[in-house]
Short mmCIF file of all heavy atoms in Angstrom, two decimals:
data_model
loop_
_atom_site.label_atom_id
_atom_site.label_comp_id
_atom_site.label_asym_id
_atom_site.label_seq_id
_atom_site.Cartn_x
_atom_site.Cartn_y
_atom_site.Cartn_z
N TRP A 86 66.65 139.30 96.44
CA TRP A 86 67.91 140.02 96.43
C TRP A 86 69.09 139.08 96.32
O TRP A 86 69.11 138.04 97.00
CB TRP A 86 68.05 140.89 97.66
CG TRP A 86 67.03 141.98 97.74
CD1 TRP A 86 65.80 141.95 98.32
CD2 TRP A 86 67.19 143.29 97.19
NE1 TRP A 86 65.15 143.17 98.15
CE2 TRP A 86 65.97 144.00 97.48
CE3 TRP A 86 68.20 143.95 96.47
CZ2 TRP A 86 65.80 145.33 97.07
CZ3 TRP A 86 68.01 145.25 96.07
CH2 TRP A 86 66.81 145.93 96.39
N TYR A 87 70.06 139.46 95.54
CA TYR A 87 71.29 138.72 95.36
C TYR A 87 72.45 139.69 95.49
O TYR A 87 72.27 140.91 95.30
CB TYR A 87 71.32 138.05 93.97
CG TYR A 87 70.21 137.06 93.75
CD1 TYR A 87 68.91 137.52 93.52
CD2 TYR A 87 70.45 135.69 93.76
CE1 TYR A 87 67.87 136.61 93.34
CE2 TYR A 87 69.42 134.80 93.59
CZ TYR A 87 68.12 135.27 93.34
OH TYR A 87 67.11 134.36 93.18
N ARG A 88 73.63 139.19 95.84
CA ARG A 88 74.76 140.10 95.95
C ARG A 88 76.02 139.48 95.36
O ARG A 88 76.21 138.27 95.35
CB ARG A 88 75.04 140.48 97.42
CG ARG A 88 75.58 139.35 98.31
CD ARG A 88 75.70 139.85 99.74
NE ARG A 88 76.11 138.76 100.64
CZ ARG A 88 76.03 138.87 101.96
NH1 ARG A 88 75.59 139.97 102.54
NH2 ARG A 88 76.43 137.82 102.70
N GLN A 89 76.83 140.36 94.82
CA GLN A 89 78.13 139.99 94.24
C GLN A 89 79.19 140.55 95.16
O GLN A 89 79.35 141.78 95.27
CB GLN A 89 78.27 140.57 92.84
CG GLN A 89 79.40 139.96 92.03
CD GLN A 89 78.90 138.89 91.08
OE1 GLN A 89 77.97 139.13 90.32
NE2 GLN A 89 79.49 137.72 91.13
N VAL A 90 79.85 139.68 95.88
CA VAL A 90 80.92 140.14 96.83
C VAL A 90 82.26 139.98 96.14
O VAL A 90 82.44 139.13 95.25
CB VAL A 90 80.86 139.36 98.12
CG1 VAL A 90 79.50 139.54 98.80
CG2 VAL A 90 81.14 137.89 97.89
N PRO A 91 83.26 140.76 96.56
CA PRO A 91 84.58 140.70 95.93
C PRO A 91 85.18 139.30 95.95
O PRO A 91 85.26 138.65 96.99
CB PRO A 91 85.41 141.65 96.80
CG PRO A 91 84.43 142.64 97.30
CD PRO A 91 83.19 141.82 97.57
N GLY A 92 85.58 138.82 94.76
CA GLY A 92 86.23 137.53 94.65
C GLY A 92 85.31 136.32 94.73
O GLY A 92 85.80 135.20 94.77
N LYS A 93 84.02 136.53 94.75
CA LYS A 93 83.08 135.43 94.83
C LYS A 93 81.95 135.55 93.81
O LYS A 93 81.65 136.66 93.35
CB LYS A 93 82.47 135.35 96.24
CG LYS A 93 83.46 135.03 97.34
CD LYS A 93 82.77 134.92 98.68
CE LYS A 93 83.74 134.58 99.77
NZ LYS A 93 83.06 134.45 101.12
N PRO A 94 81.33 134.43 93.45
CA PRO A 94 80.20 134.50 92.49
C PRO A 94 78.96 135.08 93.16
O PRO A 94 78.86 135.13 94.39
CB PRO A 94 79.99 133.05 92.09
CG PRO A 94 80.45 132.27 93.29
CD PRO A 94 81.64 133.03 93.81
N ARG A 95 78.02 135.50 92.31
CA ARG A 95 76.78 136.05 92.86
C ARG A 95 76.02 135.02 93.67
O ARG A 95 75.92 133.86 93.28
CB ARG A 95 75.89 136.54 91.68
CG ARG A 95 74.68 137.36 92.11
CD ARG A 95 73.98 137.95 90.89
NE ARG A 95 74.83 138.82 90.11
CZ ARG A 95 74.42 139.53 89.06
NH1 ARG A 95 73.17 139.47 88.68
NH2 ARG A 95 75.28 140.32 88.41
N GLU A 96 75.48 135.42 94.80
CA GLU A 96 74.77 134.52 95.68
C GLU A 96 73.42 135.06 96.07
O GLU A 96 73.20 136.25 96.09
CB GLU A 96 75.59 134.23 96.94
CG GLU A 96 75.76 135.45 97.87
CD GLU A 96 76.39 135.12 99.20
OE1 GLU A 96 76.51 133.91 99.51
OE2 GLU A 96 76.74 136.06 99.92
N MET A 97 72.49 134.15 96.39
CA MET A 97 71.16 134.54 96.85
C MET A 97 71.29 135.05 98.27
O MET A 97 71.94 134.44 99.11
CB MET A 97 70.23 133.34 96.80
CG MET A 97 68.77 133.66 97.13
SD MET A 97 68.43 133.63 98.92
CE MET A 97 68.59 131.89 99.29
N VAL A 98 70.63 136.16 98.52
CA VAL A 98 70.62 136.75 99.88
C VAL A 98 69.26 136.50 100.53
O VAL A 98 69.20 136.01 101.68
CB VAL A 98 70.90 138.26 99.85
CG1 VAL A 98 70.79 138.87 101.24
CG2 VAL A 98 72.29 138.51 99.26
N ALA A 99 68.18 136.86 99.87
CA ALA A 99 66.85 136.68 100.40
C ALA A 99 65.85 136.74 99.28
O ALA A 99 65.96 137.53 98.35
CB ALA A 99 66.53 137.77 101.43
N THR A 100 64.81 135.88 99.37
CA THR A 100 63.75 135.87 98.37
C THR A 100 62.39 135.78 99.07
O THR A 100 62.30 135.34 100.20
CB THR A 100 63.86 134.68 97.39
OG1 THR A 100 63.77 133.45 98.11
CG2 THR A 100 65.16 134.75 96.63
N VAL A 101 61.35 136.23 98.39
CA VAL A 101 59.99 136.14 98.91
C VAL A 101 59.09 135.68 97.77
O VAL A 101 59.18 136.19 96.64
CB VAL A 101 59.54 137.52 99.50
CG1 VAL A 101 59.63 138.63 98.48
CG2 VAL A 101 58.13 137.39 100.06
N SER A 102 58.21 134.73 98.04
CA SER A 102 57.32 134.21 97.03
C SER A 102 56.05 135.05 96.92
O SER A 102 55.82 135.99 97.70
CB SER A 102 56.92 132.77 97.39
OG SER A 102 56.04 132.71 98.47
N SER A 103 55.20 134.69 95.95
CA SER A 103 53.94 135.39 95.78
C SER A 103 53.02 135.22 96.96
O SER A 103 52.12 136.04 97.18
CB SER A 103 53.24 134.93 94.51
OG SER A 103 52.94 133.54 94.59
N ARG A 104 53.21 134.17 97.75
CA ARG A 104 52.43 133.89 98.93
C ARG A 104 53.04 134.48 100.20
O ARG A 104 52.47 134.36 101.28
CB ARG A 104 52.21 132.39 99.11
CG ARG A 104 51.32 131.77 98.03
CD ARG A 104 51.17 130.27 98.28
NE ARG A 104 50.28 129.68 97.32
CZ ARG A 104 48.95 129.61 97.51
NH1 ARG A 104 48.41 130.09 98.61
NH2 ARG A 104 48.18 129.05 96.57
N GLY A 105 54.22 135.07 100.09
CA GLY A 105 54.87 135.70 101.24
C GLY A 105 55.88 134.83 101.93
O GLY A 105 56.49 135.27 102.91
N SER A 106 56.14 133.62 101.43
CA SER A 106 57.15 132.76 102.04
C SER A 106 58.53 133.32 101.74
O SER A 106 58.81 133.75 100.62
CB SER A 106 57.03 131.33 101.50
OG SER A 106 55.79 130.78 101.83
N THR A 107 59.43 133.29 102.73
CA THR A 107 60.77 133.85 102.57
C THR A 107 61.86 132.81 102.69
O THR A 107 61.67 131.75 103.29
CB THR A 107 61.02 134.96 103.62
OG1 THR A 107 60.84 134.41 104.94
CG2 THR A 107 60.05 136.11 103.44
N ASN A 108 62.99 133.12 102.11
CA ASN A 108 64.14 132.27 102.15
C ASN A 108 65.38 133.17 102.30
O ASN A 108 65.49 134.18 101.62
CB ASN A 108 64.25 131.41 100.89
CG ASN A 108 65.36 130.38 100.98
OD1 ASN A 108 65.67 129.85 102.03
ND2 ASN A 108 65.98 130.08 99.83
N TYR A 109 66.31 132.78 103.20
CA TYR A 109 67.49 133.59 103.46
C TYR A 109 68.77 132.78 103.41
O TYR A 109 68.77 131.60 103.74
CB TYR A 109 67.41 134.22 104.86
CG TYR A 109 66.27 135.20 105.04
CD1 TYR A 109 65.05 134.78 105.59
CD2 TYR A 109 66.42 136.54 104.74
CE1 TYR A 109 64.02 135.69 105.75
CE2 TYR A 109 65.39 137.45 104.91
CZ TYR A 109 64.19 137.01 105.42
OH TYR A 109 63.16 137.88 105.62
N ALA A 110 69.84 133.44 103.02
CA ALA A 110 71.15 132.83 103.10
C ALA A 110 71.50 132.72 104.58
O ALA A 110 71.14 133.58 105.40
CB ALA A 110 72.19 133.71 102.40
N GLU A 111 72.21 131.67 104.98
CA GLU A 111 72.55 131.46 106.37
C GLU A 111 73.35 132.63 106.97
O GLU A 111 73.19 132.94 108.14
CB GLU A 111 73.33 130.14 106.55
CG GLU A 111 72.48 128.90 106.40
CD GLU A 111 71.36 128.81 107.42
OE1 GLU A 111 71.63 129.14 108.61
OE2 GLU A 111 70.24 128.44 107.08
N SER A 112 74.16 133.25 106.17
CA SER A 112 75.02 134.33 106.63
C SER A 112 74.22 135.58 107.04
O SER A 112 74.75 136.42 107.77
CB SER A 112 76.05 134.69 105.58
OG SER A 112 75.43 135.15 104.38
N VAL A 113 72.99 135.72 106.57
CA VAL A 113 72.22 136.93 106.87
C VAL A 113 71.00 136.63 107.71
O VAL A 113 70.29 137.58 108.14
CB VAL A 113 71.78 137.65 105.58
CG1 VAL A 113 72.98 137.92 104.70
CG2 VAL A 113 70.72 136.85 104.83
N LYS A 114 70.71 135.36 107.96
CA LYS A 114 69.53 134.98 108.72
C LYS A 114 69.55 135.63 110.12
O LYS A 114 70.54 135.51 110.83
CB LYS A 114 69.44 133.48 108.83
CG LYS A 114 68.04 132.91 108.94
CD LYS A 114 68.00 131.42 108.65
CE LYS A 114 66.58 130.92 108.54
NZ LYS A 114 66.55 129.50 108.15
N GLY A 115 68.44 136.25 110.49
CA GLY A 115 68.36 136.91 111.78
C GLY A 115 68.76 138.36 111.73
O GLY A 115 68.48 139.11 112.65
N ARG A 116 69.44 138.79 110.65
CA ARG A 116 69.87 140.16 110.51
C ARG A 116 69.12 140.92 109.42
O ARG A 116 68.89 142.09 109.51
CB ARG A 116 71.37 140.22 110.22
CG ARG A 116 72.25 139.68 111.37
CD ARG A 116 73.72 139.97 111.10
NE ARG A 116 74.22 139.33 109.85
CZ ARG A 116 74.67 139.98 108.82
NH1 ARG A 116 74.73 141.31 108.82
NH2 ARG A 116 75.11 139.32 107.74
#
């Protein structure tokens, strides 16, 4: 998932690999 916020470029929010490994933006980690 990626998001486009007002006045900013598109950024990565969260991804998951084929093996289930995840990656999160620091701003959403834990939420």
Side-chain angles (χ1 to χ4, degrees):
W86 295 91
Y87 299 74
R88 70 184 174 193
Q89 195 99 51
V90 301
K93 296 182 178 181
R95 190 173 301 185
E96 66 172 350
M97 186 275 292
V98 176
T100 61
V101 57
S102 73
S103 61
R104 292 180 175 272
S106 298
T107 57
N108 186 34
Y109 297 93
E111 287 298 319
S112 61
V113 308
K114 209 164 190 175
R116 297 189 297 118

